[in-house]
Amino acid sequence: MIYEGEQISAALNLTTDTVVIGSGAGGGVSAYHLAKAGVKTVVLEEGGRFQAKDMSQREEQMYPQLYRAGGQQMTSDGQINVMQGSAFGGSTLINAADVTPIAPEVLAHWQHHHGITEITEQALAASYKRVRAQMGVAPVKQNLINNNNNLILDAAAKQGIKAGIFDTNRKNCIGSGYCMQGCAYDAKQGTNLSYLPQASELGAQIYTDVRVDRIEKLKNGFYKVHGMVIERGLRTPKYPVEVIAKRIILSAGAVHSPAILKRSGLDKGLPQLGKNVSLQPQMVVGAQFEQHQQMNSQRGIPQSVYLAEYDNNTVEHGLGGYRIEGIGGVLANMVTGLPGIADQHKQLMQAYLHTHYSLLLIPDQPSGEMRWKYKENGAVVPIIDYKISDEWKSRARDAVRNISEFFFKAGAKKVYFSNHSFPVLESIDDIDKADLFEISPGLTTLISAHVQGTCRMGTSAAHSVVNQNLKLHTDENIYVIDASIMPTTASTHTMLPIMAMADYAIHKMLATS
Amino acid sequence: MMNNTMQLPESSRRIFLQRSIQALAVLSTAPMIIACDSLNQPFAVEPVIVAAESRSNGPLNDIELNILSAVTDAIIPQNGAFKTGASDVNLALIINQHLAYADQDIVTGLQGSLAFIEHKTTAIFGKPDEQFSQLSTLVRTKILVSMATLDGIPVQIFIALKTLSLFFFYTTKACWNDIGHQGPLIQQQEQKL
C-alpha cells in the first residue's frame, strides 16, 4: 500500500522487519528487492507523491513541490545551488534521466586509494543488468534529440572530437522537454514508476509526507525510528510516527542521511560523517548562432548528448576533466545566471531560439563538509560548507577556453557563461579572456545535481562511514544506501551508480542474513 | 488532467526564491544595511507605480513595492531588443505574491536590500540627494550595472535582485511570445482539445 500524508489522521505506530528511509534511487531499489524477498518493509518518504496529472510544467509551481527546500538549497556561501528531489521517487522524479555507469577509472581509483576491492565492474554487472531492465534503459531515440543537442554531435564529428548519446530510462517519451519539473506523461521511469509501485504490490508499506528525525537503538537490539507526518507544502508537523524495526536502510540522500545519523547520536566513532562532500558543480553555457539555425532547446529530450573530448578519468584522481551536455526546459532557472541586464540581457534572450544551451560539468574532489541546525518544528536545516579548490578553478578556466573554441569553430557568433562579470565572447580571438574568468560567490552561478560523499564507503571507521556492504562500521543493522556512500564522485550522473549499488548491497545482505 | 496542482493546499505553493533569496537572507544581517534603517524613514516622493489595493497580500508595503518595481523595471525595461518589460507583467507584484510564502528572514533580507538600493546606491554614484526610485530607468540601469562591478554587499544585492527578477519574469507568458518560447506543452495540448 502507498499511504499519503493527507490520508493519515492520527499518530502512527508500526512494527516491521526493515525500515527504508527515502524513496529515491537508493531507497526505491532497496525497498523493491526487500519486498520481493519477502522481508516486511516500511518505506518512509518525506516528500509528497506527485503523479503525471500533477505536473504542470511550470517552473514556479513545480520546483517548490518536488525539490528539496523548494529548490533553494544552497552552499553556505551562496555560490552553488544544490538541487535534490524531495518527493515520492526522490531525485529520480526530477532528474534528466541520463543513465551512466561508474567509470572504470573511478572504481580503480576507489580500489587503489580507498581500499574498495569488492565493488568491481564484475561484482556490479548483474546489478547493472537488473536495474537497466527494470527501468527500460535504452539509448535516446534519434527523433527525440533536438537541434540543441544535435549541434554537439555534428560539431564534434566535424572537429574530430569525442561526443556521445546518453542512455536513458524513458518509455514512450513524446519530447515535451519538461523532464526536470516531473514528467507529465509517465515516460521517465524513476523509482516512482519502476520500483515503488512494484514494491507496494509485493507487500511493502510506503508512507509519503513522513519526515524521519532520528533513530533510537533499543536495548533488545531493535531500533525505533522517530518521525512526523508533515503537511505537504510548508512541511509543518502533524502527527508523530514511531516504527520499530530490526534493520534500517538509510536512503535520505547525501545531505539528510548523515543528518539523521548525527541527530541520533550514531556519529560516535565515525569522524568522517558529514565530511568529504563532492558537488560536481556545473554552469550554463550559451552559444549564439545565426538566426536560421534554430536550436529548439525547449522541446525534445533536454539532455541527450554529451561532449566527452575533455574527460580525464584516471586511477590517480577518479573522475576528472570536464564535459558539456545539452540542456533545455528550464528557461527561468537557466537565464538567471546569464551575463548582463536591461538591453544587453534582452539582446541575448531575443536570440533564444537560435542559441545553443549546455551545462558545463566539472567533476570535483571531495571539498566540503556538512553541519546541521534544527528548526523549532524539528526539521533539520542543512548547512553545506564547500570550498572550490584552486585546481577546480584552473580546470574551469581551461574549460571556458576550450568549450568556447569548440562553439566558435562550430559557427557560433557569441559564447557566454553563467558568470555575472565575465564578458560575452564575440569571436575565437576572445578565448584568451578565459584566464580572467572569475569564480567567486555571487559572480559565478553554479548548480550541483550530484551531491555525494557524506557517508563514504571505505575500510575503516577512521577514514569512512560505511563498509563495502554499505553497513555502518559501528552498527550491525544500519545501512546507508544513497549518494552519500560514494568515496569520490561516481559518475557524471549518479542515478544508475546509486541504483546499482543498492541492488548489489541488498542482494548481498539477503544472501548472508 | 492537470487539476491536482490547482487543488493543492495554498501552503504547497511555497515560493521558489532560488539562490538570490538565500543571499538576501544573509544580507539581512549585514551592518551596512541595518545601519541604513531606511524603512522607517518618510519618503520624499509618494509611490505611484503600484496601487495599494493591488498588493495581493504580499509582505512588502507600498514603499517597498515601489522600490522593487524601480529595480525590476531597470533590470528588464520595456522595449529594446524585445517589447515586454517587467512593468508590463507587474513583476514586483508577482514577486510579492510569492513572498507571502517565504520565511521572515528572507523577507527581511529583501526589505533591507531595497532600502540599501533606494538610499545608499545614489550616494555611491554621486547623487546623494536623490532616491533610486526617482531616477529615470536609464540611470537606474546604469547604477545597477555599476553595482555589478563592485565587491561585497553591492554586488551581492545586485545579483540577488537580478536573479529574483529574471526568474519570475521568465515564468510569465507575456515574455515567452517575445522570445519564441512556446511554454508548457501540456497547455497547448489542452487548448487543442
Side-chain angles (χ1 to χ4, degrees), chain A residues 53-55 57-58 64-65 70 74 178 185 298-299 333 338 342-343 345-346 349-350 352 420 442 445, chain B residues 2 4-5 8 14 16 18-19 75 77 79-82 84 159 162 170-171 181-186 189:
Chain A
K53 67 184 187 309
D54 304 318
M55 309 305 185
Q57 301 185 331
R58 296 293 300 246
Q65 297 184 71
M74 304 290 298
Y178 282 90
Y185 308 94
Q298 59 190 303
R299 292 284 184 260
N333 198 7
L338 300 188
D343 205 48
H345 166 80
K346 292 182 90 171
M349 292 310 296
Q350 186 192 31
Y352 171 67
H420 297 279
T445 301
Chain B
M2 282 305 304
N4 281 22
T5 300
L8 283 169
R14 188 161 190 245
F16 174 71
Q18 264 232 345
R19 66 215 72 168
I75 291 173
N79 301 317
F82 59 85
T84 307
I159 289 165
K162 173 185 170 183
Y170 285 100
T171 63
H181 183 66
Q182 295 169 19
L185 183 65
I186 209 163
Q189 292 170 328

Side-chain angles (χ1 to χ4, degrees), chain A residues 379-395:
Chain A
V380 64
V381 180
I383 300 165
I384 308 170
D385 295 324
Y386 181 86
K387 181 171 168 43
I388 292 178
S389 70
D390 290 341
E391 188 278 331
W392 191 93
K393 289 180 182 177
S394 172
R395 214 155 14 107

Side-chain angles (χ1 to χ4, degrees), chain A residues 477-498:
Chain A
N477 288 303
I478 299 180
Y479 293 74
V480 182
I481 303 182
D482 57 30
S484 58
I485 58 100
M486 307 298 180
T488 61
T489 189
S491 176
T492 50
H493 296 273
T494 48
M495 175 177 67
L496 180 62
I498 298 166

Side-chain angles (χ1 to χ4, degrees), chain A residues 339-356:
Chain A
I341 61 170
D343 205 48
Q344 186 196 3
H345 166 80
K346 292 182 90 171
Q347 283 179 25
L348 294 181
M349 292 310 296
Q350 186 192 31
Y352 171 67
L353 290 181
H354 51 104
T355 298
H356 165 92

Side-chain angles (χ1 to χ4, degrees), chain A residues 103 106 280 312-314 317-321 363-365 395 489-492:
Chain A
V106 171
Q280 197 160 227
N312 180 22
N313 305 333
T314 69
H317 61 237
L319 218 60
D364 56 345
Q365 291 297 311
R395 214 155 14 107
T489 189
S491 176
T492 50

Side-chain angles (χ1 to χ4, degrees), chain B residues 92-111:
Chain B
L93 284 180
I94 291 173
I95 294 171
N96 196 32
Q97 286 171 1
H98 284 275
L99 284 170
Y101 307 97
D103 291 339
Q104 183 55 43
D105 56 351
I106 292 172
V107 175
T108 305
L110 178 58
Q111 289 169 326

Side-chain angles (χ1 to χ4, degrees), chain A residues 9 242 297 324 489:
Chain A
S9 56
E242 291 183 356
S297 64
I324 54 167
T489 189

